[in-house]
Amino acid sequence: MVKPDGVQRNLVGEVIRRLEAKGFTLVGLKLMNVPRELAEHHYDVHKERPFFAGLVEFITSAPVVATVWEGDGVVAAARKIIGATNPLTAELGTIRGDYGISIGRNLIHGSDATETAQREISLWFKEEELVNWQPTITPWLYE
Ligand code: IDP
Ligand code: MG
């Protein structure tokens, strides 16, 4: 998900470009304002943390772009492409490392495990919003 800061900073295309260029397949995409209830659900593992209220406030403050990606190893690879949570310690070459400064403005969310991804996809997308398609370049990406 491109967070509100990523959308405001015109980095939607850059985020999508990096995941596309790696070879992953976009299967879901929407620009949306986030209902408070969805934000609270999405981040409920963090509900006891001191930053929870501010995080929910921020995520609901302006539009986000939610995406779903497919491909071998996509969850772990996307986390690497995204970089560490704190943009100042994130490696250069990662999205957060290249474009961010503050932990509370780290531009992008990525699921941290396959099970988390399944949970988050069902929170953010209806079944019929996901597109099942086969890119013609597949044989050039996988042997
Ligand atoms: P992640 O986004 O790299 O998975 P998490 O630890 O799951 O990082 O935290 C979720 C989000 O909560 C972070 O992306 C960041 O926006 C915010 N966050 C985490 N730790 C802090 C903090 O110490 N201060 C402010 N915001 C934080
Ligand atoms: Mg997380």
Side-chain angles (χ1 to χ4, degrees), residues 22-25 70-74 134-135 137-143:
K22 176 72 173 167
F24 294 126
T25 305
E70 216 168 62
D72 283 5
V74 64
Q134 187 64 248
I137 58 161
T138 301
W140 302 103
L141 283 163
Y142 297 94
E143 64 171 9

Side-chain angles (χ1 to χ4, degrees), residues 43 45-46 79 109-110 112 120:
Y43 281 122
V45 292
H46 297 307
R79 293 280 293 189
H109 165 81
D112 61 11
E120 291 173 353

Side-chain angles (χ1 to χ4, degrees), residues 2-84:
V2 186
K3 293 180 178 179
D5 49 338
V7 176
Q8 298 293 328
R9 291 186 51 203
N10 300 323
L11 291 170
V12 172
E14 177 63 14
V15 168
I16 290 174
R17 188 196 66 77
R18 288 186 182 211
L19 291 160
E20 273 188 318
K22 176 72 173 167
F24 294 126
T25 305
L26 186 61
V27 296
L29 173 71
K30 59 182 172 183
L31 174 73
M32 60 188 282
N33 285 307
V34 184
R36 173 166 297 268
E37 195 177 62
L38 172 58
E40 287 172 352
H41 244 95
H42 174 79
Y43 281 122
D44 68 8
V45 292
H46 297 307
K47 64 173 177 288
E48 309 301 337
R49 310 281 282 277
F51 59 80
F52 179 75
L55 181 57
V56 168
E57 205 54 49
F58 180 62
I59 289 295
T60 56
S61 67
V64 304
V65 171
T67 61
V68 180
W69 295 87
E70 216 168 62
D72 283 5
V74 64
V75 172
R79 293 280 293 189
K80 279 193 185 167
I81 291 167
I82 290 167

